[in-house]
Amino acid sequence: EEYDYMAVLEARMSRDMLEKLLRIRDPELHRWIADVIRVTEPAMVYLITSEEDFEYVRKAALRNREELPTRYPRHTVHFDGPRDIARDRKNTRILLPGGEKIPFINTYDRDKGLAEIRELLRGIMRGREMFIGFYCFGPKRSPFTLHAVQITDSAYVAHNENILYRLCYDEFVEKAPNLFYARFIHSAGERGENGWSKNIDKRRIYVDLHDYTVYSVNTQYGGNTIGLKKLMFRLCIYKGYLEGWLCEHMFIVGVRGPGGRLTYFTGAFPAGCGKTSTAFISDTIVGDDLAIIKPVNGVPHGVNPEMGMFGIIDGVNPRDDPVLYKLLTDPSNEIIFSNVLLTDDGEVWWNGKEGEPRPGLNYAGRWWPGKKDENGREVPPSHPNARFTISLRSLPNLDPRVDDPMGVPISAMIFGGRDPDTWVPVEEAFDWVHGIITKAAALESEKTAAILEKAGVRELNPFAILDFLPISIGKFIQLHLDFAEKVEKLPRIFSVNYFLRDEQGRYIAEKVDKRVWLKWMELRVHGDVDAVRTPTGLIPVYQDLVKLFEEHLGKDYPESRYEKEFMLRVPQHLAKIERVWKVYEQIPDTPKVLFDVLRKQKE
Ligand code: SPV
Ligand code: MN
């Protein structure tokens, strides 16, 4: 529809803000912002273009009561509300023209979806301030990096993005109108008296691949709302698929070996399966959640598109996670806590924190020890999916190459999930194809609190990425098989399993044992240790583990434990192959080699 879009911008924006916007010489961008303003009707508009704007956003979050103050000026607390505590699989949909369907992916007719979202957005920002931020998804001036514009009426969301991503207004100004960028529109919708989004039944997260635009309404939980996090991730996977590179749900870490050499690993784990804790137990951290991987001179290189962590805080304790614990209790770090307990004396408490929880506020309202919900179940003081937002710049073990526009060379990829009874604690694949099929494509995990569904149920979660795939699993697997043609040196592939249990149901390994598995993988990458060849892969030689446990953890590694952990569980493996096969049978574009490899494994 024709209208004077400059008039709309002039009416809602101060001169100062409008000037900032017009410095980006991209009429299409101006027109789009005017469109969003016309539909959502914000009272005013604030552009986030430099770090000087961060304090304004932080104060706005406190003023709006989206965040609450604590005893420490740089620590704030946000509550999403009891029904908005995690990613909403059901209402997160990939919009496809003509109502195209993809097995195991939540798709929806694009025209219908856009019409629905337009209705939901109508007047939704009335009386509120709209924030517009310009960010990079990756290091600045890097061939890996994508760009994004975030529009939101939530100062909490904007505050998160200011911590989690690099501001990139300057690149927009420089490169417009020849800059590709993704677009995010978010509104928390109507908020109740405790600040929670009221219209949860109208919560929608719609991903429009065609326009590289994502809409998110009537929700606040970060995984549903922080545009550059899991919403951008879906667009990034799609773009990578079209262009032949990888966008992964993986950390990037450095592990030191003999002589101080540093070897880079990526690792894919579903949320709540030890991903962030593995990152912290490594020697350096590049990233803890996402990776963009492309070949550079024949070697796969990876960048972390983020500059901060939105991590699970549940269970973080001084014994198992000393570095992270110190970061989270240091008043000098800027931190947003979400869905923890905020005690009446202004302290933050989460499950794992020292001391006892005292009365205060939590994700479900007022909390006191022993509080029960309407079903008579005790309300935990902090939620299992409670989170922290912190800048990577606060980390003592940040990798020096985190801002390298060419990324770091990736020597190996790790895949792991919550598996009580099948996989050994660490195992190397025979080769790339074997690893992509039996480790990545066959990754299973028990569901965790990071999604709004019943936890504990085992499900296939290929590459730990299923929740975020905008294309079929078959195509995503093929993309990885084809990647082999693009590089001269393929990363090794490993699986890990931190969740193996004994006959009594107790975890066999301790949390810190991860460090030994990492060190063993580092030695394998360089050919410094032999391995035992089993039908499912290559496992450590007992004596090597004895040495590594002694050297890195100062503890014994009894042979009886080795036998328990590294025995090949044949019935469980056969059952797993059966389960995995049954899923892929339903996916028409599954590469044929997947069935070949599984059949061979079974034999
Ligand atoms: C995950 O759930 O994988 C996360 C957090 O990293 S969220 O932003 O919710 O996706
Ligand atoms: Mn994640």
Side-chain angles (χ1 to χ4, degrees):
E1 177 192 342
E2 278 310 309
Y3 67 95
D4 183 354
Y5 71 85
M6 277 306 292
V8 171
L9 295 176
E10 277 162 8
R12 300 288 169 137
M13 295 173 77
S14 68
R15 257 187 72 167
D16 185 32
M17 292 297 154
L18 185 56
E19 242 166 54
K20 283 189 187 183
L21 178 61
L22 297 183
R23 280 187 59 206
I24 304 173
R25 296 177 175 280
D26 182 348
E28 224 180 285
L29 170 72
H30 306 156
R31 161 118 211 178
W32 173 66
I33 289 175
D35 280 348
V36 180
I37 289 175
R38 236 162 68 107
V39 173
T40 60
E41 300 177 40
M44 48 189 178
V45 179
Y46 190 93
L47 264 69
I48 304 163
T49 61
S50 79
E51 291 192 9
E52 273 121 62
D53 298 316
F54 289 0
E55 203 42 35
Y56 178 87
V57 172
R58 229 176 69 85
K59 289 214 176 96
L62 287 162
R63 186 175 356 103
N64 299 341
R65 309 282 294 161
E66 290 178 80
E67 291 174 34
L68 303 174
T70 72
R71 287 182 56 183
Y72 311 101
R74 292 172 70 79
H75 293 182
T76 55
V77 174
H78 167 83
F79 296 116
D80 292 307
R83 295 174 62 204
D84 197 19
I85 210 88
R87 281 190 278 109
D88 180 355
R89 271 185 178 171
K90 205 170 123 264
N91 291 303
T92 304
R93 297 172 176 151
I94 309 293
L95 302 183
L96 295 177
E100 188 196 332
K101 292 201 165 47
I102 307 173
F104 297 96
I105 313 286
N106 196 3
T107 61
Y108 196 59
D109 180 77
R110 180 169 182 263
D111 292 338
K112 270 205 237 162
L114 291 179
E116 184 187 354
I117 217 77
R118 214 178 163 79
E119 266 328 295
L120 290 175
L121 286 173
R122 207 170 287 286
I124 204 166
M125 296 190 191
R126 256 175 231 156
R128 295 211 209 151
E129 184 165 26
M130 171 190 276
F131 298 91
I132 309 179
F134 301 86
Y135 302 98
C136 271
F137 192 65
K140 296 194 82 166
R141 291 171 222 294
S142 157
F144 287 76
T145 293
L146 303 176
H147 295 76
V149 181
Q150 170 81 59
I151 297 184
T152 178
D153 61 5
S154 163
Y156 163 70
V157 167
H159 184 192
N160 269 283
E161 292 191 307
N162 292 343
I163 296 175
L164 292 171
Y165 305 99
R166 297 166 178 91
L167 256 191
C168 250
Y169 173 71
D170 53 344
E171 289 194 27
F172 275 83
V173 171
E174 238 170 76
K175 295 180 184 160
N178 303 311
L179 181 71
F180 168 85
Y181 57 88
R183 311 184 296 193
F184 303 98
I185 304 172
H186 165 255
S187 173
E190 216 180 314
R191 292 165 60 219
E193 58 191 82
N194 26 29
W196 310 336
S197 291
K198 263 174 132 173
N199 302 316
I200 290 293
D201 51 324
K202 295 205 177 101
R203 172 172 53 206
R204 297 289 182 273
I205 301 104
Y206 282 1
V207 181
D208 184 8
L209 298 176
H210 181 265
D211 268 354
Y212 286 92
T213 304
V214 184
Y215 305 84
S216 163
V217 293
N218 295 317
T219 173
Q220 296 183 46
Y221 172 66
N224 296 329
T225 59
I226 302 170
L228 278 90
K229 189 130 193 109
K230 291 315 202 302
L231 312 185
M232 183 64 155
F233 182 41
R234 292 171 170 98
L235 301 179
C236 179
I237 295 169
Y238 184 65
K239 201 162 194 316
Y241 165 67
L242 295 180
E243 297 175 2
W245 45 267
L246 309 177
C247 193
E248 303 276 13
H249 193 208
M250 291 177 176
F251 64 54
I252 307 178
V253 300
V255 180
R256 287 203 189 281
R261 74 179 170 214
L262 195 57
T263 306
Y264 291 101
F265 287 75
T266 63
F269 298 72
C273 296
K275 193 167 159 192
T276 300
S277 65
T278 307
F280 273 100
I281 221 159
S282 314
D283 295 298
T284 69
I285 296 182
V286 180
D288 82 321
D289 196 36
L290 304 176
I292 298 176
I293 300 173
K294 295 184 177 186
V296 176
N297 300 327
V299 179
H301 277 60
V303 302
N304 172 15
E306 307 189 281
M307 206 43 236
M309 292 181 174
F310 176 63
I312 295 180
I313 200 166
D314 193 71
V316 173
N317 70 80
R319 200 179 77 94
D320 298 318
D321 320 274
V323 179
L324 180 54
Y325 192 83
K326 193 155 175 279
L327 279 167
L328 296 177
T329 49
D330 180 347
S332 65
N333 293 325
E334 181 178 5
I335 306 174
I336 311 173
F337 297 91
S338 62
N339 307 320
V340 293
L341 172 68
L342 173 62
T343 63
D344 293 335
D345 50 0
E347 288 284 354
V348 165
W349 193 93
W350 64 86
N351 170 34
K353 181 123 185 232
E354 287 174 311
E356 291 302 311
R358 293 183 298 274
L361 290 176
N362 80 355
Y363 68 94
R366 181 118 200 105
W367 185 89
W368 56 90
K371 179 184 172 178
K372 303 240 166 42
D373 65 16
E374 62 268 27
N375 304 317
R377 271 192 297 259
E378 205 158 302
V379 180
S382 67
H383 192 273
N385 197 34
R387 300 240 166 197
F388 62 88
T389 304
I390 193 168
S391 167
L392 291 185
R393 309 263 180 229
S394 301
L395 267 52
N397 49 347
L398 183 63
D399 191 274
R401 291 171 73 177
V402 69
D403 292 309
D404 192 326
M406 298 314 283
V408 297
I410 304 300
S411 298
M413 293 179 169
I414 305 169
F415 294 89
R418 263 176 203 266
D419 169 2
D421 60 12
T422 311
W423 277 359
V424 296
V426 64
E427 184 178 61
E428 183 180 340
F430 298 129
D431 54 44
W432 178 255
V433 174
H434 180 251
I436 289 300
I437 305 302
T438 67
K439 311 260 178 239
L443 182 62
E444 293 182 298
S445 184
E446 293 175 342
K447 286 187 222 189
T448 69
I451 46 166
L452 292 170
E453 284 171 30
K454 194 171 175 297
V457 182
R458 180 152 44 188
E459 62 178 1
L460 186 72
N461 193 345
F463 296 79
I465 212 168
L466 187 54
D467 281 348
F468 313 107
L469 274 188
I471 57 170
S472 87
I473 310 172
K475 290 194 170 69
F476 193 69
I477 295 171
Q478 190 62 50
L479 175 69
H480 286 76
L481 297 174
D482 295 344
F483 193 70
E485 313 292 311
K486 300 202 165 80
V487 293
E488 277 144 39
K489 203 162 180 291
L490 282 163
R492 294 203 187 200
I493 299 183
F494 296 91
S495 60
V496 295
N497 182 13
Y498 307 146
F499 299 93
L500 200 57
R501 306 206 198 174
D502 63 15
E503 302 78 45
Q504 282 77 44
R506 291 172 306 212
Y507 293 121
I508 300 173
E510 285 190 87
K511 271 186 164 187
V512 291
D513 297 351
K514 293 179 180 82
R515 192 160 167 81
V516 166
W517 318 138
L518 279 173
K519 294 291 180 182
W520 180 77
M521 291 186 268
E522 200 277 343
L523 294 174
R524 281 297 299 164
V525 165
H526 297 277
D528 290 349
V529 285
D530 284 334
V532 181
R533 201 182 165 92
T534 82
T536 57
L538 305 161
I539 62 169
V541 173
Y542 172 61
Q543 278 306 331
D544 291 328
L545 290 183
V546 172
K547 268 190 244 154
L548 289 170
F549 267 92
E550 172 58 38
E551 184 184 340
H552 295 286
L553 301 176
K555 47 180 205 183
D556 288 341
Y557 186 68
E559 194 151 8
S560 57
R561 185 176 156 196
Y562 178 69
E563 279 168 15
K564 211 189 292 177
E565 286 187 308
F566 285 93
M567 73 173 154
L568 180 59
R569 293 164 179 78
V570 177
Q572 286 84 349
H573 266 280
L574 290 175
K576 177 187 168 85
I577 291 172
E578 197 76 11
R579 286 192 300 271
V580 172
W581 186 289
K582 281 212 173 104
V583 173
Y584 283 107
E585 252 177 2
Q586 302 167 56
I587 302 171
D589 55 11
T590 299
K592 192 185 148 286
V593 66
L594 180 137
F595 298 108
D596 298 341
V597 171
L598 290 185
R599 195 179 297 116
K600 213 164 149 200
Q601 185 98 89
K602 190 169 165 182
E603 277 161 18

